[in-house]
Amino acid sequence: MLRSDDRPSVTPAPEHTGSQSAGGTSLDFLADRVDAVRGSLPRTLALAGELGTAVPLPGSGRTALTWQFLTTLAAEDLTVARVVEPHLDALAILDQAGMSSPAGPAGLPGGTWGVFAAEGPGVAVMASEEQDGTWTLTGTKPWCSLAEHLDSAIVTAHVRDGKRRAFAVDLRADGVTPEPAGAWVSHGLATVTSCPVRFDAAVAVPVGDADWYLTRDGFAWGGIGVAACWYGGALGVARTLLAASRHRTPDQIALMHLGRVDAALHGTRTALAAAADAVDDGRASGQEGALLAARVRSLAFDGAERVLEAAAHALGPAPLAFDERHAARVADLHLYLRQHHAERDDASLGRRILEGTLQGGAQW
């Protein structure tokens, strides 16, 4: 199993000495890297591959740095973060399953990875084990982001007894057909297109046992990684608001917006730091990890929505109309946040709390 300690450390250029760091590693150099790939999907995918060999894995003892990488990327460009995050998550999944290298199981290419785990009405992917022990996938998987551009993916499929299992699939192999006919019209994350993928007896390699994908501790940790991206996107919007406030004397209402934004960002930042410590200390496994992830994601979601609202109210239409980067960041963040199921996820969190108290868990 490849542990993060075996990965090369990311060393910034010596002239970069910014304050956002963990373990003594400055992340300011990532701004230059993002600028170099911005607007180019091929270059962004190449950056994802590069970071995949350098960013520590969650649970490695440097989880805070893992999530700070995602936050820093997202604060600069949410599209870049949206491409990198699932690649890093796929490598973490392979590591958690005991696969031998970040390139994945033998026989599959390296390159960039995705994670295709969504389900949808009327479609499903079924996994079958052949007599020679080979597994194949057949069916349609919805919401497969960048399926036309990635090399490989972790794909969840249905197996016997109603269970689901994860598989590693070469997306360039026979029997794998992305179906991008449905028009992707989103103005947010416009280049991170999602489409169904059809599998016709496509060869696949099992990753973990049946139902392992959803019950492993890393499932919760991956969800917090997405929340780190939401936080980074909100941070980018907040910086636009702060810059605007410095250019003119703010009135009481403007100061109120700045205060609310600062409180929202501080809350999410504190929750992410505490969650990273819990993961590395072994306090984020099982139901405790699932509860932690639900709380952090809810905080990050609410905080990001508060930042978006404050920026809209304080800045008015001008930056949305004339500041291309701000307008894109707002549109990107609005779409990215829809990975959270809003009130439904809050209800799920409430159910966890109630069930925990009924079983003798901690009270408020």
Side-chain angles (χ1 to χ4, degrees), residues 298 301 305 337-348:
S298 182
F301 173 80
E305 290 224 313
L337 288 173
R338 299 281 69 78
Q339 287 191 4
H340 189 269
H341 300 110
E343 291 82 4
R344 293 185 184 278
D345 278 357
D346 286 341
S348 178

Side-chain angles (χ1 to χ4, degrees), residues 248 311-324 326-327:
R248 63 181 180 184
H313 290 194
L315 297 174
L320 292 173
F322 300 110
D323 184 339
E324 181 178 0
H326 175 74

Side-chain angles (χ1 to χ4, degrees), residues 9-12 18-29 56 61-70 72 272-273 276-277 280:
S9 61
V10 178
T11 303
S19 59
Q20 185 176 4
S21 62
T25 302
S26 170
L27 301 185
D28 283 359
F29 75 105
R62 294 190 292 164
T63 303
L65 181 58
T66 306
W67 293 339
Q68 284 183 12
F69 262 96
L70 293 173
T72 303
L272 285 168
D277 288 342
D280 289 335

Side-chain angles (χ1 to χ4, degrees), residues 33-44 77 79-80 191 324-325:
R33 304 304 303 277
V34 171
D35 282 340
V37 305
R38 195 190 311 275
S40 170
L41 184 56
R43 289 198 297 269
T44 300
D77 191 299
T79 291
V80 174
T191 60
E324 181 178 0
R325 188 167 296 182

Side-chain angles (χ1 to χ4, degrees), residues 199-234:
F199 297 94
D200 297 304
V203 175
V205 178
V207 178
D209 296 327
D211 280 349
W212 170 84
Y213 174 82
L214 293 173
T215 58
R216 63 193 166 89
D217 295 339
F219 183 78
W221 305 347
I224 299 175
V226 172
C229 293
W230 298 341
Y231 167 66

